[in-house]
Each structure stands twice: as structure tokens, then as C-alpha cells.
Amino acid sequence: VEEVFQYALTAALLVTMLNKNTAFLSPERAVAGLPGKLRPVKPGMEVEDKVLHYIGGLILRHLAQLVGNAHAVTELLEGEDGDVQQVRLATGIYPSASMMNHSCIPTIINSFTGPKLVVRAVSTVKAGMEVTNCYGPHYRRHTYVERQEMLSNQYMFRCLCKACTDQKERTYLERFKAYQCKKCKGAVVNNKCEECGEAWEKVSDDQFDSFYAMIESDQDADIETLKKAEKILSTMLFCHNQTLARVRDRLARAEADRGEYGAALVYLRQAMETTAARFGSDSIEFGHELLKLTDVLVALHGDGGVDVKTVNIVDG
């Protein structure tokens, strides 16, 4: 109800602006040769209420259609600190792209060249297969519950794609918070290893709990403490646990800050493997990591530490 009120209010404001500040609804007010200049409203030039209501209704209808059919026009922008972000520039209607149904595991990805929407396949699309888009909630970025809630609130449907119906896929993100199976080193989800099926029960460890809390709360720590934390956490957490990746990223930054680019490269590669495993090696998140890798490799090459010819990229 609140959203509908906001759309109605926006439509009312727009039709009022059209009526009072433009000649769109009353062309006789326009002054030839002076764009934007309007003649005063004289008797007989007023726009009838029924016309205003009709135009306002059309605007309201199109605003409501934008919610479910529009595409956000985006662009990658680099900030002064070197951080690259996807920035929303506008909203556009692309009728052909709007015909594609949603999937939390889409077969295509959208990008923009100016206002032009470019659609590229991210997986093999065989003859007869449905081409699907992602309306926002993606299985690599949002939990099953979050996706269903977002889609229900904005698009009024319940998703039944593989990521939402397959029980293992539903818990996809849980593996990046998982502990390590002692038997096969697989991800433990819901107290059971996803790989070998071995049951698992957490054993209390004060040192582990202390380091885990330190990294999760982003507490300041010197490089030796971070190294100790990484060593302890890596014995109990799944190799792609996001907390483990976070401490390795901090170590890579700390080593680079003190000029130890070779050591920074080791930690950075480990963190990148987790990013690729979670988001994919064609993701914007992995692109951020590539920028870090490039900076370290350039510094390492300039420092005389290595002759950089090729870079092996991990594949998610």
C-alpha cells in the first residue's frame, strides 16, 4: 500500500509539472522560437480535469510497470581509492529482454555500452533450452529465504528454479560459512559433510573462538597475530570459508604494505580461490580481486622479485 501511494504521488507531481511548466498539454501556450517560454494561462486554455486524470493514470500505470519490467542501466566506476563499483545510472525499458523469465542461476548476464543493453550467455544454451535472466536475487549472493522474499515482494511470484528446489543448492551459501570435515576436509553443512556424509559435532576451542571473533568483528591486529589466526582457523574451517578468506585478504594487504609482495601474492591467491568458488571467475567480485592481483604483480615485478609473463587464473 505504501509503494502504491508513492507511485500515485509521483504520478500526480509529474502531471502537475507537465500542466504548469510545459506546453505538452496545452500547445497554444508555447512561444515560437523560445523553448521553455510559456504564455500565461488565459480563459479557455485550462486543461480539463478529466484530461489530467487520464494522463496521471497513464503515468501511474507506466510507473507500476517499471517495477516489474525495467532494467537498471549500470556502469562500472572506479573511485579515488581504486575501488570499482557498479553504479546505477538510470532505468530503461528493453521489451525483448523483459520477455525472459527469472532464474537464480541465470543462463545470461546483462551489461551496458552506454544505453545499449548487451546480453551474453554465461553457460551453454542448447537448442530448446529456456534463456533465463536474473531479476536481482542471485544464488551466489543471496540465501534461499532472501531470494524468495525479494521476488515475492517486488514481482509477486515464488521461484522454482534449480537453486530454489534442489535441497543442496538451497544451502549453497552455507558452505562459505562451513567448518571442515575431519575425514575428507569437505564443507560441513547442518552438522554433516556435503562430500562424504560424515556426521560432525563442533568441539569447543577457546583459542579458535577468540581468533574467529577477532576476524568477524574486524578488530585491529598486527601481522603476526593475523598469521597465527590464519593458521588456527585453517585447521577447523572449510577451505573456502569466508572468514578464512577475510583473514587471508588482510594478511595480503599487510604483507604488501611492508613490501613483502611475494608473501602477499600467496595469501591473495588463496583468497581469490574462495571468491571464484563463491561468485565465479566471471563475476564483478572476482574482477575486484584481479585488480588487487595486478597491483601486487606489478609491484613484485618492479621490485625484481619475479619476471611476470603469465598469470594463472583460478576458475570458479
Side-chain angles (χ1 to χ4, degrees):
V1 175
E2 183 180 345
E3 287 185 349
V4 174
F5 174 76
Q6 289 178 351
Y7 300 151
L9 182 60
T10 302
L13 290 172
L14 288 173
V15 77
T16 300
M17 291 288 292
L18 282 175
N19 184 36
K20 291 185 176 297
N21 300 317
T22 76
F24 181 78
L25 299 177
S26 48
E28 64 274 14
R29 293 186 62 197
V31 178
L34 296 173
K37 184 70 174 178
L38 300 175
R39 293 188 176 93
V41 178
K42 297 179 179 180
M45 296 174 64
E46 299 91 347
V47 180
E48 295 182 39
D49 285 346
K50 65 179 182 180
V51 174
L52 295 177
H53 295 163
Y54 176 72
I55 298 297
L58 287 179
I59 293 174
L60 176 59
R61 179 180 180 182
H62 289 310
L63 286 174
Q65 289 174 329
L66 281 173
V67 178
N69 295 284
H71 281 72
V73 181
T74 60
E75 184 177 76
L76 294 179
L77 294 178
E78 183 176 358
E80 294 181 359
D81 58 355
D83 186 31
V84 177
Q85 293 185 342
Q86 190 174 33
V87 179
R88 182 172 184 152
L89 302 177
T91 298
I93 293 291
Y94 298 87
S96 297
S98 294
M99 296 295 290
M100 289 183 282
N101 286 326
H102 166 83
S103 173
C104 299
I105 310 178
T107 56
I108 65 97
I109 189 172
N110 297 321
S111 61
F112 289 89
T113 302
K116 182 185 293 184
L117 174 64
V118 181
V119 176
R120 294 186 176 90
V122 292
S123 61
T124 302
V125 182
K126 298 180 181 179
M129 284 180 60
E130 182 180 14
V131 178
T132 56
N133 197 357
C134 178
Y135 291 1
H138 196 285
Y139 84 109
R140 290 183 185 266
R141 298 180 178 87
H142 303 92
T143 67
Y144 166 72
V145 173
E146 289 172 341
R147 297 197 307 270
Q148 292 294 342
E149 183 177 353
M150 292 165 71
L151 292 168
S152 176
N153 288 342
Q154 183 165 349
Y155 300 101
M156 310 301 175
F157 71 84
R158 182 171 180 267
C159 183
L160 296 174
C161 72
K162 182 181 178 182
C164 293
T165 54
D166 185 281
Q167 193 58 42
K168 185 175 180 179
E169 292 297 337
R170 279 191 183 187
T171 59
Y172 173 80
L173 290 182
E174 293 302 312
R175 69 193 66 177
F176 301 102
K177 303 176 184 177
Y179 285 86
Q180 178 189 117
C181 174
K182 296 302 179 185
K183 182 178 180 180
C184 71
K185 299 188 182 303
V188 175
V189 176
N190 295 327
N191 297 323
K192 185 178 180 181
C193 178
E194 284 192 328
E195 301 300 324
C196 68
E198 184 82 1
W200 179 90
E201 185 175 344
K202 185 179 183 300
V203 178
S204 180
D205 185 312
D206 291 341
Q207 189 179 40
F208 169 86
D209 293 340
S210 175
F211 281 131
Y212 188 89
M214 179 189 77
I215 300 303
E216 282 293 287
S217 60
D218 204 25
Q219 295 177 25
D220 290 335
D222 59 56
I223 193 168
E224 295 306 320
T225 301
L226 289 174
K227 284 184 176 181
K228 190 172 182 179
E230 192 273 341
K231 183 177 180 180
I232 297 297
L233 294 179
S234 64
T235 63
M236 295 187 67
L237 296 179
F238 177 54
C239 63
H240 293 316
N241 184 290
Q242 61 188 16
T243 302
L244 191 55
R246 190 176 297 128
V247 70
R248 286 169 174 166
D249 186 70
R250 288 180 63 178
L251 276 166
R253 191 182 308 120
E255 292 286 16
D257 286 344
R258 67 177 187 174
E260 297 293 338
Y261 301 115
L265 189 61
V266 173
Y267 289 120
L268 185 55
R269 284 187 183 277
Q270 290 176 316
M272 288 179 69
E273 288 173 1
T274 297
T275 302
R278 176 176 174 178
F279 297 105
S281 56
D282 57 354
S283 65
I284 195 169
E285 288 85 359
F286 192 70
H288 291 168
E289 298 302 305
L290 283 176
L291 288 175
K292 296 178 188 177
L293 178 67
T294 301
D295 289 341
V296 171
L297 286 173
V298 168
L300 187 61
H301 179 58
D303 197 41
V306 66
D307 184 13
V308 181
K309 295 181 179 179
T310 60
V311 179
N312 294 320
I313 304 302
V314 294
D315 190 2

